[in-house]
Amino acid sequence: MDIEHRASVSGSRAGFASAAAGIALSLVSAWVLRHRTSKRVQRWQPGGGTVQRSGALGVRVFGRGEPVLVLLPGIGASQAFYGAAYDRLGDIATVLVMDPLGFGSSMDPGTNPEGFALSQHTEALSIALRELGLSQRPLIVVGHSMGASLALQWAAAVDSDVRAVIAFNAPLYYSPEEATDRVRQIGWFEALLASGPLAREVCWWMCRHRTTASAIAVLINPAIPIAIVRDGVKHTWFSYIGSFRALVSGDTWVPALSSLLMRQVSVDLVDGASDPVPMPGRADMLADRYDNVTARTHPGGHDLPLTSPGWCTEYIYRRVLETDLSARKLPI
């Protein structure tokens, strides 16, 4: 009986191991299939240029041309967000893909926890531009999500010849309550990790185990390019929550829009038709109120520059040419 019992246990273990291996293989196959069929993955390749340090920021630089075109990713993203589809912008401009203060290649775990106020974000961008020797050239600023809010407010503050701002999926809220409500529209998981004790604990754990956190992030996001997902863990709790409060949940974009109107800087608000983040109707309302603001939508959700890189690149390309021709007082 003892021999039979051991044989039975051994057989059970073998059966369990075989079942576990089968489940693991199925999960891996499902991940690979989801990854390979994702439009985001299919339309993305690493962007050109080299990443260098300028002031406190990591900046990817490429292209030629008199105008300076700055691309800013959203919260929890990095310069990798703007992939190879955006390289053609280098034909008409000097392109700077800047990681906002505290994110991606601009992450610094030793940064002052109070170092992510609006003025500190805009100052870091201005310093980077000056150190690159480009602050005296015509400037066009493009941003996505939190980067769109930052683009508007930096354009209003920077001492440069700003020609245009293009804001994709901009979170333009009048109050923290509006911001909380719109984040909840994305999904329960995003709302759970947007703020509060659980979000803080997850972020603290991620900081202590960044390699593991990167691997987990890749596993649970098969539809997003791996390089973008890995960069998504390159921030701290302080940079995340400080930037969220300064650039997402406040209404400091309102005086920025007024300032841009006075300077006659054109502002394009471009939202995904199914994007749950922007307040419904707000972009159209702002376009009616401000002569320099244009509102439009394009099929897609909250990550238009990633899901529709070709369309977004063409949109930016045309706007750069139009602003250049307008400045020279030539017919468009």
Side-chain angles (χ1 to χ4, degrees):
M1 290 292 294
D2 187 50
I3 294 175
E4 291 178 356
H5 176 70
R6 287 199 297 271
S8 177
V9 169
S10 178
S12 297
R13 288 175 177 172
F16 177 80
S18 178
I23 293 172
L25 181 60
S26 296
L27 291 175
V28 170
S29 299
W31 188 96
V32 171
L33 179 63
R34 182 74 180 93
H35 185 72
R36 289 181 175 177
T37 57
S38 167
K39 297 298 184 183
R40 296 178 180 90
V41 174
Q42 293 174 355
R43 294 169 181 171
W44 184 90
Q45 291 292 329
T50 56
V51 178
Q52 61 189 71
R53 200 76 173 181
S54 184
L57 304 185
V59 183
R60 177 159 55 91
V61 183
F62 62 93
R64 59 187 181 274
E66 180 65 14
V68 174
L69 175 63
V70 173
L71 306 180
L72 299 170
I75 194 167
S78 74
Q79 52 80 21
F81 187 78
Y82 297 99
Y86 296 86
D87 288 357
R88 70 183 288 248
L89 296 172
D91 295 340
I92 57 172
T94 298
V95 184
L96 312 178
V97 191
M98 293 186 173
D99 281 336
L101 192 66
F103 294 90
S105 59
S106 300
M107 184 186 73
D108 182 357
T111 301
N112 177 2
E114 304 299 323
F116 301 98
L118 170 60
S119 61
Q120 291 161 312
H121 272 286
T122 57
E123 182 181 11
L125 292 170
S126 296
I127 290 173
L129 194 65
R130 286 198 303 270
E131 289 198 0
L132 290 166
L134 299 171
S135 60
Q136 300 304 310
R137 293 203 201 170
L139 178 64
I140 298 98
V141 191
V142 177
H144 169 252
S145 194
M146 183 196 82
S149 176
L150 179 55
L152 288 167
Q153 298 183 74
W154 180 46
V158 67
D159 184 20
S160 293
D161 178 16
V162 182
R163 299 285 177 83
V165 179
I166 303 173
F168 290 105
N169 309 103
L172 304 179
Y173 307 127
Y174 285 128
S175 68
E177 291 73 25
E178 279 191 356
T180 300
D181 176 68
R182 300 319 296 177
V183 169
R184 286 175 179 163
Q185 303 301 316
I186 303 176
W188 68 269
F189 184 74
E190 288 80 2
L192 197 64
L193 296 182
S195 62
L198 178 59
R200 183 176 62 250
E201 290 304 315
V202 169
C203 207
W204 278 117
W205 179 88
M206 181 184 70
C207 291
R208 295 192 299 269
H209 309 280
R210 208 171 295 277
T211 301
T212 302
S214 175
I216 293 173
V218 169
L219 288 176
I220 64 178
N221 291 285
I224 301 176
I226 292 174
I228 295 176
V229 176
R230 285 176 173 168
D231 279 356
V233 304
K234 293 180 180 178
H235 61 268
T236 67
W237 169 249
F238 296 115
S239 64
Y240 175 84
I241 196 64
S243 300
F244 185 87
R245 289 169 178 167
L247 295 165
V248 177
S249 64
D251 63 353
T252 48
W253 57 271
V254 177
L257 269 187
S258 297
S259 175
L260 293 171
L261 173 62
M262 292 179 62
R263 295 167 60 182
Q264 282 299 293
V265 175
S266 65
V267 175
D268 292 15
L269 302 178
V270 186
D271 293 331
S274 58
D275 185 2
V277 172
M279 289 296 295
R282 179 146 300 161
D284 290 330
M285 179 270 290
L286 293 172
D288 290 338
R289 180 178 299 177
Y290 296 91
D291 293 339
N292 62 322
V293 174
T294 300
R296 69 169 302 164
T297 59
H298 183 73
H302 186 60
D303 52 357
L304 277 185
L306 188 60
T307 56
S308 301
W311 184 85
C312 291
T313 300
E314 181 63 23
Y315 189 94
I316 298 168
Y317 194 99
R318 289 182 58 84
R319 293 296 288 123
V320 172
L321 292 180
E322 288 167 358
T323 55
D324 186 43
L325 290 171
S326 177
R328 297 183 191 186
K329 303 186 185 303
L330 294 176
I332 297 174

